[in-house]
Structure formats: C-alpha cells, structure tokens
Amino acid sequence: MKNIIPGLTLLVLLLTGCEGGKDKPLSGTATITSELFGTGPYYSFGFSFALAEKVSTLTDPVPDLTVEAGVIPGGTEVVPFLSANTLKPSFGFKGEYTSESEAVAAFDALKDVGTPVWTDMGAPLKVNQVWVIRTGDTKYARICITGVVLEQTGGVPVAQCTFRWAYQPDGSTIFP
C-alpha cells in the first residue's frame, strides 16, 4: 500500500505534464467569413487570438475579430470591414501598402502598438493593410491583410478576409 500512493502520484504528474505541449500559437494565418450558419439564431465564425482559432459568434467569450459586409456610416456602397463585439473602439490602422512584400515587411517590423487612433471598425478593408487590434480584455494583436473577397451575388453580401496575425497575450503593447 505504501508504494501504491507514490506510484499513483507519479503517474498523475506524468500524465498532466503531457498537456504542456498544447500551448496555443502566438502567430499564424487565418481566414474568416461573414457567411451565416444555423436556422436561428444565426451565427458566423470570427477569430479568437487567445485560442488561436476560428470560433462561433455565439460563443462566450465572443471572437476578437469578425469580418462583415455592408454600407458603413458616411458611405454609399457595400464594403467589407472588420468588426469586434466590444464596447470600445478596437481597431488602429497602421498603413496600407502597394505590394504584399511591403505590407509583410511593415507587419514584421511593427513591434509596438504605439498610440493609434482607435476606431469602431476596420474600414474600408483592403489587401496589404496593417492593423493593430485591442481585444475586449485589453490584449493586443497585429494583422496584415493578405486577401479580401466581397461577394454580392445573393441577397446578403458576404465578405471573406485572410490575414497574418501575431498576438501579445500578456497585455503589453510590445510584440514578442
């Protein structure tokens, strides 16, 4: 009996230690769309930086970032835009570049959030833009837009956005 308890303790420690390999990545590439799913309530998939994956807009917590399509305030035509379900402006525009290589270089060089003018939406959304994002729990991410599609063939316009991303999970404004 004396040897069973230490043996079980060691086994539990070894098994829980194996979970350490499941750390979430802090950067990557993702594609999100405004396509709606379900029969009510409807939902789409946004992106969670903390989980490093696409998540439903019906989850709790909600995604940090979604893409939408519509007429933005002051506009007259349907455009794709980034949205966040927070009660504060979440998007800081850092620049738009003439080529993907310039945009990626600017994204890679962006090491500090700085003091952007925060806006409620990332609009209008275009390829080769670099944005910083302030999440609902005041963490920061940077993204480089590598693809944008706006489809208006059906009744509801659908936007799709592909982006490179990097996340700072400790709340610092300095990216690793």
Side-chain angles (χ1 to χ4, degrees):
M1 187 70 166
K2 287 191 256 182
N3 292 335
I4 292 176
I5 293 177
L8 287 175
T9 303
L10 180 60
L11 180 62
V12 167
L13 288 173
L14 286 173
L15 290 176
T16 56
C18 293
E19 294 296 312
K22 293 187 177 183
D23 290 337
K24 301 292 182 188
L26 298 179
S27 63
T29 302
T31 299
I32 55 176
T33 179
S34 64
E35 180 180 1
L36 295 177
F37 299 92
T39 56
Y42 296 102
Y43 63 94
S44 64
F45 288 95
F47 191 79
S48 167
F49 294 109
L51 297 176
E53 63 187 25
K54 292 191 285 189
V55 296
S56 166
T57 53
L58 296 179
T59 62
D60 186 23
V62 297
D64 297 311
L65 179 69
T66 58
V67 64
E68 308 291 335
V71 178
I72 60 174
T76 59
E77 60 186 61
V78 173
V79 296
F81 61 93
L82 298 173
S83 179
N85 192 11
T86 62
L87 298 175
K88 60 186 173 194
S90 299
F91 300 97
F93 183 68
K94 288 303 210 175
E96 185 173 332
Y97 302 89
T98 57
S99 70
E100 183 176 350
S101 61
E102 288 177 313
V104 168
F107 170 80
D108 289 341
L110 180 60
K111 298 299 182 193
D112 188 340
V113 170
T115 55
V117 175
W118 295 105
T119 60
D120 291 325
M121 62 180 67
L125 188 59
K126 297 179 182 176
V127 172
N128 299 329
Q129 291 178 332
V130 175
W131 295 83
V132 291
I133 296 157
R134 178 172 49 190
T135 66
D137 59 353
T138 316
K139 306 253 170 70
Y140 297 92
R142 60 185 172 164
I143 64 171
C144 177
I145 308 301
T146 59
V148 176
V149 176
L150 177 62
E151 198 172 293
Q152 299 187 73
T153 56
V156 177
V158 175
Q160 178 179 300
C161 178
T162 301
F163 56 94
R164 289 178 176 219
W165 61 275
Y167 177 57
Q168 176 48 284
D170 70 8
S172 165
T173 60
I174 307 298
F175 293 104

